[in-house]
Amino acid sequence: MTAPEYARKVSSAGFDPLKGKHPLLVQLDIELTERCNNRCMHCLINRPEDDREVKEREMDTTFVLDVLRQAADLGCMTVRFTGGEPLLRKDFTELYLAARRLGMQVILFTNARLITPDLAALLARVPPGSVVEVSVYGMHPASYDAVSGVKGSYDEFKRGIGLLLDHNVPFVVKAALLPQNRDEMAEFEAWAATLPAMDQRPGYAMNFDLRARRDDPEKNQRIAALRLSPAETVNMLARDPKYVSEMQQFCGKFMGPPGDRLFSCGAGH
């Protein structure tokens, strides 16, 4: 029996994936779970991976499949699966293949700890259409495990990265800049530059969002204390020539001479 075909290359000439329709939805973001196998010190959302109550509140497979179909009908071409850690979902493979069958590119946000040989082989056989995005919390076990809050998480992260490389699955990396790993930034960027899909300097999370549920004031205080100062943030952003150029263009367009207006609205004059 021939295996079903999920992705194929076609000529762009005469190819109309939307069949003449104008897309009403460019990208769909689906937070598949709040649960995570990390307990990161800076994270606003992570719930324990074995939290039964949270798991029972998650969207079930049928619901997510229906959302994907509705999005495809609206012309959506891309879905981003995020969390928590989306690979904690037992139905991830089913949801992934459903999105690809609908013609959507899939963006996967993951910490790579749950990448298995079977999953890496699937991503190689049925490419997501977009690079996988992997969050990195340290370049060594001590720093990584200190940030993730899970002993042994670095070793699992490295194993997952190795599987993606072995199967030639394109992925990019990004980091959370924290006291535990700040001294490793040069090492991280040098390693990132060796990855086949990395065509620019990796991005950093620096000014972390607070928990919106107002259920843990102490957690919010810890998150706020981990943020970079405004001066440190500007210095980090200024390292990227593209960002500086874009901000210069923005300021040139919207920041007028001093007066009674702070800026002009981009929607009109």
Side-chain angles (χ1 to χ4, degrees), residues 177 204-210 223 226-230 233 237:
L177 195 57
Y204 292 91
M206 300 175 290
N207 297 306
F208 310 103
D209 292 338
L210 302 179
I223 292 174
L226 294 170
R227 293 171 173 170
L228 297 188
S229 69
T233 301
L237 295 174

Side-chain angles (χ1 to χ4, degrees), residues 34-157:
E34 293 182 280
R35 297 175 296 121
C36 189
N37 53 343
N38 282 344
R39 298 192 296 270
C40 292
M41 60 173 61
H42 62 284
C43 186
L44 81 161
I45 191 173
N46 57 332
R47 298 290 194 177
E49 60 180 307
D50 57 354
D51 191 319
R52 183 175 300 178
E53 181 181 350
V54 171
K55 185 176 180 180
E56 290 176 350
R57 292 203 307 265
E58 292 172 2
M59 298 176 289
D60 62 27
T61 306
T62 301
F63 183 88
V64 178
L65 291 174
D66 185 53
V67 169
L68 290 171
R69 282 190 291 267
Q70 291 186 54
D73 289 342
L74 292 172
C76 181
M77 300 294 291
T78 303
V79 59
R80 176 163 55 191
F81 288 134
T82 183
E85 173 50 57
L87 297 185
L88 282 172
R89 291 277 301 230
K90 300 300 184 184
D91 59 356
F92 175 80
T93 295
E94 180 180 357
L95 299 177
Y96 173 78
L97 290 176
R100 295 302 282 133
R101 290 189 190 105
L102 290 166
M104 293 182 182
Q105 296 185 74
V106 175
I107 301 172
L108 171 60
F109 279 12
T110 179
N111 59 36
R113 288 180 54 202
L114 297 176
I115 299 288
T116 64
D118 287 345
L119 180 57
L122 172 66
L123 294 173
R125 187 174 71 254
V126 186
S130 180
V131 292
V132 175
E133 298 193 24
V134 178
S135 298
V136 181
Y137 302 113
M139 293 302 295
H140 302 279
S143 56
Y144 191 104
D145 291 2
V147 171
S148 72
V150 179
K151 187 174 179 58
S153 57
Y154 173 81
D155 293 335
E156 293 179 346
F157 151 75

Side-chain angles (χ1 to χ4, degrees), residues 116-222:
T116 64
D118 287 345
L119 180 57
L122 172 66
L123 294 173
R125 187 174 71 254
V126 186
S130 180
V131 292
V132 175
E133 298 193 24
V134 178
S135 298
V136 181
Y137 302 113
M139 293 302 295
H140 302 279
S143 56
Y144 191 104
D145 291 2
V147 171
S148 72
V150 179
K151 187 174 179 58
S153 57
Y154 173 81
D155 293 335
E156 293 179 346
F157 151 75
K158 288 291 287 185
R159 178 180 51 77
I161 290 292
L163 287 168
L164 294 177
L165 289 171
D166 290 345
H167 288 80
N168 297 313
V169 177
F171 69 95
V172 297
V173 292
K174 53 194 177 182
L177 195 57
L178 293 156
Q180 288 76 7
N181 61 29
R182 194 171 299 179
D183 293 340
E184 300 171 359
M185 189 166 64
E187 183 181 2
F188 167 63
E189 293 184 358
W191 169 71
T194 68
L195 301 176
M198 288 293 296
D199 57 2
Q200 60 186 1
R201 180 179 286 164
Y204 292 91
M206 300 175 290
N207 297 306
F208 310 103
D209 292 338
L210 302 179
R211 292 178 66 85
R213 298 173 187 81
R214 306 178 185 178
D215 60 352
D216 194 341
E218 292 184 2
K219 173 75 171 181
N220 277 348
Q221 289 179 357
R222 291 194 297 271

